[in-house]
């Protein structure tokens, strides 16, 4: 078997054969494969014609060593069970394809040891760059301590406060503000925020926006309930606690910091005799993920532009990897959007405002030594 493999390898056309057929040097063939902008169009066409005629397949590892990186972007996500991260992956894949690149996807379940392993693996294989989703400052500190100096690392769902990395984030404070504003506009006056662990930065930002909107309306009262986490089971437990208060008229509007929380709350309220959503209580979630779509009562939510987050992140990786000289890091922040469904309005409007328009794009200059 080993002899057959060796014979097959000898029979395959090599770069030398391409150079001979095209009448150019080995260096020219290498440039056509790795740095085509260095070769004139006429010579490039001659080499490409020889490659096609010989059916030459370049050695991917050798090419990556010559170019200094592969034509691949890595994406490390926190939790693939959340469809938001699937949207991010699709957006990154779209941008990668536009740049004639490939995308490698890794799921970590927010485990730092897994993230460290994937960062090392992607660096070892000389990827063009890495995208990573993050949720909290402590996690960010741990990741930046272990991240290799190369390839470029672009953060998603988090903004680097020290400006060492490019990032694409969502204005979660605006999202919380939009949720509270919607509840108030439809006449709800006794509100509850169902948040989550305070170390989760997106959740904390949503709560800050929620209470900012409430503060603009003295006639509205609001309080916060903090479950252990932001999954459906946490929503169910919180919903069973809030249901008697809803039945008494003490609560008429709920904003949950995630769609999974909101879906669990809706399930709990559905089992409470006499309580009808949205007649007695309006419920708003956050993310516009599968939990919102599959809910027995279609869930009003704040849509995150996940596809755009992934697409812009991959674009930033491509720009940074091809930069020559000093690179200027960017912190892009996108605006979320309110999507109205039957959990707050019995006959919601048919038109839904699209998500994904940039709220602001702030250039930030990298330190002299580049990425940390």
């Amino acid at each position: 078997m080993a002899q057959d493999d060796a014979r097959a390898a000898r029979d395959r056309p090599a770069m030398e054969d391409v150079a001979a057929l095209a009448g150019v040097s080995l260096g020219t063939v290498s440039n056509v494969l790795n740095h085509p902008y260095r070769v004139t169009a006429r010579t490039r066409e001659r080499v490409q014609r020889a490659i096609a005629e010989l059916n030459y397949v370049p050695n991917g590892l050798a090419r990556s060593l010559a170019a200094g990186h592969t034509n691949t972007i890595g994406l490390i996500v926190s939790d693939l069970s959340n469809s938001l991260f699937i949207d991010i992956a699709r957006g990154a894949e779209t941008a990668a394809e536009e740049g004639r690149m490939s995308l490698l996807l890794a799921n970590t379940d927010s485990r730092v040891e897994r993230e460290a392993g994937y960062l090392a693996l992607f660096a070892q294989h000389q990827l063009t760059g890495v995208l990573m989703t993050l949720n909290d400052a402590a996690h960010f500190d741990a990741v930046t301590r272990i991240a290799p100096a190369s390839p470029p690392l672009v953060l998603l769902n988090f903004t680097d406060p020290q400006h060492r990395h490019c990032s694409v984030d969502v204005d979660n404070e605006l999202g919380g503000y939009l949720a509270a504003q919607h509840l108030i506009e439809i006449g709800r006056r006794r509100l509850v925020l169902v948040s989550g662990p305070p170390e989760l930065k997106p959740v904390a930002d949503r709560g800050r926006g929620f209470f900012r909107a409430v503060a603009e309306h003295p006639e509205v009262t609001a309080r916060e309930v903090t479950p252990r986490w932001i999954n459906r089971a946490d929503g169910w437990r919180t919903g069973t606690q809030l249901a008697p208060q809803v039945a008494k008229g003490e609560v008429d509007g709920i904003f949950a910091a995630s769609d999974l929380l909101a879906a669990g709350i809706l399930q709990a309220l559905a089992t409470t005799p006499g309580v009808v959503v949205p007649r007695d209580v309006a419920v708003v979630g956050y993310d516009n993920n599968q939990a919102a779509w599959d809910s027995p009562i279609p869930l009003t939510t704040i849509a995150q532009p996940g596809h755009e987050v992934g697409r812009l992140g991959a674009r930033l990786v491509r720009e940074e990897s091809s930069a020559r000289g000093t690179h200027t890091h960017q912190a892009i922040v996108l605006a979320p959007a309110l999507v109205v469904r039957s959990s707050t309005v019995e006959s919601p409007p048919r038109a839904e405002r699209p998500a994904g328009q940039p709220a602001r794009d702030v250039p930030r200059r990298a330190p002299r030594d580049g990425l940390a």
Side-chain angles (χ1 to χ4, degrees), residues 77-142:
V77 299
S78 310
D79 181 10
L80 272 180
S81 67
N82 186 332
S83 64
L84 169 65
F85 296 116
I86 297 176
D87 292 341
I88 289 174
R90 290 187 183 279
E93 184 177 46
T94 297
E97 286 182 348
E98 290 171 355
R100 298 182 179 181
M101 306 180 77
S102 302
L103 182 75
L104 289 181
L105 178 62
N107 177 61
T108 67
D109 293 327
S110 297
R111 291 165 51 185
V112 173
E113 65 274 13
R114 275 193 181 182
E115 290 165 345
Y118 283 124
L119 285 169
L121 180 66
F122 289 168
Q124 178 184 347
H125 286 271
Q126 298 184 325
L127 267 62
T128 299
V130 177
L131 305 171
M132 176 177 283
T133 64
L134 290 171
N135 287 317
D136 61 82
H139 209 184
F140 164 74
D141 291 339

Side-chain angles (χ1 to χ4, degrees), residues 147-232:
S150 64
L153 174 64
V154 173
L155 306 178
L156 306 180
N157 205 40
F158 194 90
T159 301
D160 178 4
Q162 300 175 17
H163 319 324
R164 293 175 297 178
H165 304 276
C166 286
S167 63
V168 185
D169 203 354
V170 177
D171 192 340
N172 285 288
E173 184 170 341
L174 173 61
Y177 183 92
L178 292 174
Q181 186 180 55
H182 173 64
L183 290 170
I184 294 168
E185 285 177 350
I186 62 174
R188 308 301 165 142
R189 296 295 180 265
R190 296 173 294 280
L191 308 183
V192 171
L193 165 66
V194 181
S195 57
E199 63 268 18
L200 295 180
K201 185 179 183 298
V203 170
D205 290 344
R206 293 164 197 174
R208 187 160 47 250
F210 173 86
F211 282 111
R212 179 162 61 86
V214 169
E216 296 173 359
H217 298 271
E219 74 280 10
V220 176
T221 61
R223 60 189 176 87
E224 182 175 2
V225 175
T226 305
R228 194 177 308 172
W229 199 247
I230 55 173
N231 290 326
R232 191 184 296 262

Side-chain angles (χ1 to χ4, degrees), residues 26-38:
L26 279 174
T28 299
V29 176
S30 177
N31 278 334
V32 169
L33 295 172
N34 300 299
H35 310 286
Y37 56 89
R38 296 179 181 175

